[in-house]
Amino acid sequence: QVQLIESGGGLVQAGGSLRLSCAASGRTFSYLSIGWFRQAPGKERDFVGRIAGSGSSTYYADSVKGRFTISRDNAKNTVYLQMNTLKPEDAAVYYCATGRRPNGEYDYWGQGTQVTVSS
């Protein structure tokens, strides 16, 4: 069993930055690949990016590439999502997840943190 807790959401002006955190507990954190997702009202949940357990590789959706960066501190059991140059369309509830299956689905999810971007 894995527990994930996101934090760091809030209100930011367009062009600004936020850093989200995803704290994990319950299993050996350094083995866990962590994904970030977001869901805006009335829309499907979208993939944002993911990071390998070692932190050696990351992968991003085209919509955030070059603006968002995922990193991790395994000593703190925490993964970060640094979001720069935020746009109104980035506004959503952001979730972290782990336990990725071969079909791309994730078994464990956090409760989400709200990001609001004002224009």
Side-chain angles (χ1 to χ4, degrees), residues 37 45 50 97-109:
F37 294 78
R45 185 168 58 198
R50 66 174 178 263
T98 192
R100 183 170 180 265
R101 300 185 183 189
N103 64 3
E105 295 181 355
Y106 286 72
D107 285 334
Y108 304 102
W109 293 83

Side-chain angles (χ1 to χ4, degrees), residues 5-16:
I5 300 176
E6 302 93 338
S7 61
L11 173 64
V12 63
Q13 287 189 333

Side-chain angles (χ1 to χ4, degrees), residues 27-68:
R27 287 179 63 178
T28 305
F29 182 72
S30 61
Y31 290 107
L32 300 178
S33 170
I34 302 290
W36 283 98
F37 294 78
R38 64 187 182 186
Q39 188 168 21
K43 296 188 177 181
E44 294 186 351
R45 185 168 58 198
D46 290 332
F47 171 78
V48 173
R50 66 174 178 263
I51 186 167
S54 65
S56 60
S57 66
T58 52
Y59 181 76
Y60 299 95
D62 288 342
S63 59
V64 306
K65 201 173 295 182
R67 299 188 299 122
F68 290 11

Side-chain angles (χ1 to χ4, degrees), residues 49-88:
R50 66 174 178 263
I51 186 167
S54 65
S56 60
S57 66
T58 52
Y59 181 76
Y60 299 95
D62 288 342
S63 59
V64 306
K65 201 173 295 182
R67 299 188 299 122
F68 290 11
T69 302
I70 302 173
S71 62
R72 65 191 297 154
D73 185 341
N74 285 347
K76 295 183 178 180
N77 282 14
T78 302
V79 168
Y80 304 99
L81 177 64
Q82 177 67 45
M83 305 185 294
N84 298 329
T85 319
L86 282 161
K87 305 175 182 180

